[in-house]
Amino acid sequence: MTTVQPIIVTPDLDRLQAFYERLLGAVEVIRFPGDGPTFFVNLKLGDSELGLVNEAATDLSAPQRILLSVRVDDVDGLLEQAGAAGGRVLGPSTDMPWGERVAHIHDPDGNMVNLTQPLQESAG
């Protein structure tokens, strides 16, 4: 079995962890090391995992090349909460022709996050 786990390197692990916990309900499952300054935290989000690595020298001004796409139950509801959780909303949500409602946000480090929700088939 092959799986992929995104890992985000951040200069402020506590801030970024709080964002994903507050906005998406992430739950910490592993912290390394268990005592002393934390290097790595593994978060569980539904059936997925997201790793956070604490690295003080991370350059947040470097161009982003990875997009984190997260399927959620209510894009519009989370979009309203993103700013209060520490993120930045980049615009309104949009219904896409491939059958998803999508909203674009930045997490507190400026990483691009797409919130996606399947559109319901209209009865007709």
Side-chain angles (χ1 to χ4, degrees), residues 1 9 16 26 30-32 39 53 60 63-64 67 69 85 96 104 107 115 117 124:
M1 175 187 352
V9 180
L16 206 57
I30 296 172
R31 177 175 290 263
F32 182 81
F39 170 72
V53 170
L60 296 181
Q64 301 295 314
L67 167 67
S69 185
M96 298 299 192
H104 307 287
D107 72 12
L115 302 175
Q117 171 186 347

Side-chain angles (χ1 to χ4, degrees), residues 7-69:
I7 297 176
I8 300 173
V9 180
T10 179
D12 192 338
L13 188 137
D14 292 335
R15 177 187 64 172
L16 206 57
Q17 180 176 353
F19 171 78
Y20 286 104
E21 288 173 345
R22 183 172 177 185
L23 187 66
L24 300 174
V27 176
E28 180 179 317
V29 291
I30 296 172
R31 177 175 290 263
F32 182 81
D35 58 350
T38 302
F39 170 72
F40 176 79
V41 170
N42 195 49
L43 303 174
K44 184 88 168 158
L45 295 95
D47 292 336
S48 301
E49 295 183 359
L50 174 65
L52 303 177
V53 170
N54 194 28
E55 176 56 58
T58 302
D59 179 4
L60 296 181
S61 68
Q64 301 295 314
R65 296 185 49 228
I66 301 276
L67 167 67
L68 186 63
S69 185

